[in-house]
Amino acid sequence: MTANVSRRALLLSPFPNLPPMNKKHTDLLYASPQKVSGFIFDDKVAAVFPDMIQRSVPGYGTIIHMIGQLASRYAQANSQCYDLGCSLGAAAMVMREQIDAGVKVIAVDNSEDMIARCRQSLKDLSKSNLDLRCEDILSTEISRGSVVVLNFTLQFIAPAKRQSLIAKIFKGMLPGGILVLSEKLAFDNNHHNELMVELHHYFKRSNGYSDLEIAQKRAALENVLIPETLDTHQKRLIDAGFKHVDLWFQCFNFVSMIAIK
Ligand code: GEK
């Protein structure tokens, strides 16, 4: 019964341990006309992050919920689970709910503001099997990894550094372990790419963002969030040594893949 209640809470909210959202937590960062500069994960973003990501990324809540399910299937005894680019720790927390106490969860982000808010939201929970680190995932050591999550993080890493990061992750994983890689995609076919972008913008408008907010956010993410094609991601994962690479979620230009070692 308790397990059902907690699973239901996670399905309804990927941030179950944060207080209910009010106006203060609404993403209005691009609501007024402004000189747009490159997007950064500072405290203004961290403060409205749950609202921002749920209104911007189609399927975010479903993906977080299912990462818990994947962790319950793939986490191995005495192994480590990683949430790389954890923001407020939604994936780390859902994994923690679903794995045995002997499995450690390591959540990493290089934004001090994200980590500070993540730490605060976790303060009442026992942190025994959770290690929260403020560091660059490019220097995170990966070892005994059974579940590694890059949930919309790789897209913010310089493309030239992506292959070595994936290779390092592969090397630090146990046989049978999985990497969950969620990304915004680009498509080779211009017509299809444009259609996916427009459907995504329609999704954002349906969630209350204005055309001005959508345009200014798009400008802020230019050269900061660099999407690649599905082929590029799949080839990189195979080149790193992953045996099975498959798509398990897609909504418009947002996907999640699993790669099994
Ligand atoms: C979620 N996974 O809620 N090292 C560490 N962290 C980084 C780096 C880096 N080099 N580059 C970017 N980040 C989360 C959502 S958000 C996605 C991930 C989005 C961090 C950055 O600080 C931010 O918190 C996160 O990656 C990307 O499931 O906002 O679209």
Side-chain angles (χ1 to χ4, degrees):
M1 181 66 174
T2 318
N4 282 342
V5 169
S6 111
R7 267 199 285 279
R8 183 160 165 72
L10 288 166
L11 186 60
L12 291 172
S13 166
F15 300 97
N17 52 334
L18 289 179
M21 286 195 257
N22 58 36
K23 238 179 148 190
K24 200 172 80 186
H25 304 117
T26 303
D27 172 20
L28 295 169
L29 297 181
Y30 295 100
S32 52
Q34 57 199 263
K35 186 171 173 290
V36 175
S37 45
F39 191 81
I40 50 166
F41 291 95
D42 59 9
D43 194 55
K44 281 192 201 140
V45 169
V48 297
F49 187 75
D51 179 63
M52 170 187 285
I53 196 141
Q54 291 180 86
R55 286 163 69 211
S56 304
V57 175
Y60 175 79
T62 302
I63 293 171
I64 291 293
H65 183 68
M66 296 313 291
I67 285 172
Q69 176 56 207
L70 290 167
S72 82
R73 287 168 184 252
Y74 286 94
Q76 299 174 28
N78 303 314
S79 70
Q80 311 203 100
C81 296
Y82 290 84
D83 181 4
L84 301 176
C86 62
S87 299
L88 300 183
M93 278 177 253
V94 81
M95 285 197 282
R96 227 164 144 254
E97 291 277 327
Q98 299 291 334
I99 58 177
D100 296 339
V103 181
K104 191 165 164 189
V105 177
I106 298 167
V108 183
D109 204 288
N110 67 349
S111 158
E112 282 178 15
D113 296 309
M114 284 291 189
I115 291 292
R117 284 189 182 262
C118 185
R119 206 178 290 287
Q120 203 178 358
S121 75
L122 290 171
K123 69 177 185 297
D124 298 331
L125 300 173
S126 136
K127 281 180 226 149
S128 52
N129 66 339
L130 181 74
D131 182 2
L132 193 56
R133 299 183 192 164
C134 186
E135 69 184 23
D136 190 328
I137 59 169
L138 295 173
S139 43
T140 298
E141 191 201 324
I142 310 289
S143 64
R144 287 184 292 116
S146 57
V147 182
V148 179
V149 174
L150 278 168
N151 200 37
F152 302 106
T153 304
L154 191 66
Q155 59 197 13
F156 292 104
I157 301 294
K161 298 189 171 158
R162 294 180 187 179
Q163 185 72 53
S164 57
L165 173 61
I166 297 295
K168 172 183 81 172
I169 291 171
F170 178 82
K171 214 169 149 216
M173 284 173 61
L174 296 169
I178 59 162
L179 168 65
V180 181
L181 174 62
S182 311
E183 287 278 294
K184 184 178 188 182
L185 288 186
F187 298 87
D188 283 330
N189 179 291
N190 285 342
H191 176 82
H192 190 64
N193 197 60
E194 207 38 47
L195 176 62
M196 294 302 103
V197 168
E198 283 173 17
L199 291 183
H200 176 226
H201 289 175
Y202 170 78
F203 171 87
K204 291 187 74 166
R205 273 197 300 279
S206 307
N207 282 328
Y209 283 116
S210 67
D211 289 343
L212 177 70
E213 286 176 294
I214 293 169
Q216 294 192 139
K217 177 79 179 279
R218 192 182 191 184
L221 286 173
E222 190 77 32
N223 300 322
V224 174
L225 187 170
I226 302 173
E228 297 175 303
T229 64
L230 184 59
D231 273 1
T232 302
H233 284 296
Q234 287 175 330
K235 185 172 180 309
R236 182 182 290 125
L237 293 164
I238 297 288
D239 286 352
F242 285 99
K243 267 200 301 230
H244 304 284
V245 176
D246 281 297
L247 203 59
W248 69 274
F249 178 91
Q250 175 162 13
C251 187
F252 320 133
N253 41 358
F254 290 80
V255 299
S256 190
M257 293 159 250
I258 45 179
I260 307 182
K261 178 160 175 175

